[in-house]
Amino acid sequence: MDLSLFLELAINGALSGLMYSLVALGIVLIYKSSSVPNLAQGALAMLGAFVTLAVFEVLKAPMWVALPVAMVLMFLIGMGIERVALRRLAGRPLVMILMMTLALDIFVRASALVAWGGTNRVLPLPISSDPLFLGSVLINRSYVAGGVTALLLFGFFVLFFRTRMGIVLRAISDDYTASWSVGISVERGVALSWAMSAAVATLAGALWGSIQGVDQSLSQLLLMGVAVAVLGGLDSIGGAIVAGLLLGMFQGVASGYLDRLVGGGSRELVVAATLVLTILIRPHGLFGREDIQRI
């Protein structure tokens, strides 16, 4: 076995897995604070990338300004989604809320297609396209930027959920009725979780958009995001990071060796197999609570 090739596949795979963790973080944030599995996270990542491009083009501002502005806009959009679409379903069966998030996914993708068309567009983040060299190992700089971003967000949210507001969100997730009874504004807490999730999705969409371009295919990040979130545990932020590292590394190495033998498609196979096996063998994930329901 070529050690340099193995290390290159493993390192780049792990870093790309951390970028997938950004999508999973948004799913975990909503589940951790409202016990709702969000199937619209991929569409929010796609929309965040389009909004970033729109701000960049309209304001003629540098990307380091356009991206934070887009995150603020998506923060507000996330609050609006919760207010208009999700708040009315509070207390309803989980399957109804799940179907609403699926409907949101379809609606957001269709709206983006109408507004921006289906042409792939370049999102020029200020990240050099030249690879990093560790000896004979080549590392993608975009993956490094995404991995560092994911780790920084992990640290931020670990601290956030130890604050008063974070504890409130966890209480809401445990029991809506008990939270209402002690005067907690459940609606405001759930809206905040959707807003933060939309902002995180914007980062994920922009980073992936800078690599593969911005179009409808960005919404397919949902599959990897769900796989990482389920593997790590739907209520575990740390689990999302660890699962992203493991799944990305395994996916990168497996595809690097298997694609040459089977002609391609092994990346998707690895993700699907991981998702199915996790649900069958350990439905609460690596670090999730055992009382988490399967989705």
Side-chain angles (χ1 to χ4, degrees), residues 171-191:
I172 293 172
S173 175
D174 286 338
D175 194 319
Y176 273 28
T177 304
S179 299
W180 268 314
S181 69
V182 296
I184 293 175
S185 176
V186 173
E187 295 85 355
R188 187 178 302 173
V190 175

Side-chain angles (χ1 to χ4, degrees), residues 88-104:
R88 306 170 181 232
L89 299 179
R92 299 297 181 91
L94 177 62
V95 66
M96 294 182 63
I97 304 175
L98 187 65
M99 290 301 102
M100 175 58 78
T101 65
L102 180 59
L104 282 170

Side-chain angles (χ1 to χ4, degrees), residues 52-249:
T52 302
L53 267 177
V55 172
F56 175 72
E57 293 169 354
V58 171
L59 296 183
K60 306 297 183 184
M63 188 56 70
W64 61 268
V65 174
L67 182 55
V69 171
M71 291 178 65
V72 171
L73 292 175
M74 286 297 294
F75 184 93
L76 298 175
I77 288 173
M79 294 191 74
I81 288 174
E82 188 282 330
R83 180 67 181 86
V84 173
L86 278 302
R87 189 167 297 186
R88 306 170 181 232
L89 299 179
R92 299 297 181 91
L94 177 62
V95 66
M96 294 182 63
I97 304 175
L98 187 65
M99 290 301 102
M100 175 58 78
T101 65
L102 180 59
L104 282 170
D105 173 81
I106 297 170
F107 177 79
V108 170
R109 286 192 285 112
S111 299
L113 184 62
V114 170
W116 288 288
T119 304
N120 187 281
R121 306 173 68 185
V122 177
L123 198 159
L125 287 184
I127 302 174
S128 173
S129 59
D130 297 331
L132 288 173
F133 288 90
L134 291 179
S136 59
V137 177
L138 278 65
I139 302 176
N140 189 311
R141 288 179 187 266
S142 295
Y143 289 167
V144 174
V148 170
T149 301
L151 291 175
L152 290 175
L153 277 179
F154 163 68
F156 169 78
F157 283 118
V158 166
L159 295 176
F160 172 78
F161 277 100
R162 294 179 179 175
T163 66
R164 180 181 176 83
M165 192 65 224
I167 294 172
V168 165
L169 294 184
R170 288 159 59 189
I172 293 172
S173 175
D174 286 338
D175 194 319
Y176 273 28
T177 304
S179 299
W180 268 314
S181 69
V182 296
I184 293 175
S185 176
V186 173
E187 295 85 355
R188 187 178 302 173
V190 175
L192 177 61
S193 70
W194 275 87
M196 292 190 300
S197 179
V200 172
T202 304
L203 264 180
L207 286 165
W208 278 110
S210 69
I211 295 173
Q212 65 185 54
V214 180
D215 58 17
Q216 300 294 309
S217 67
L218 279 179
S219 63
Q220 297 173 10
L221 290 170
L222 174 67
L223 176 59
M224 275 299 298
V226 168
V228 170
V230 170
L231 177 61
L234 280 169
D235 68 336
S236 175
I237 291 176
I241 296 295
V242 174
L245 277 169
L246 293 176
L247 186 55
M249 188 183 304

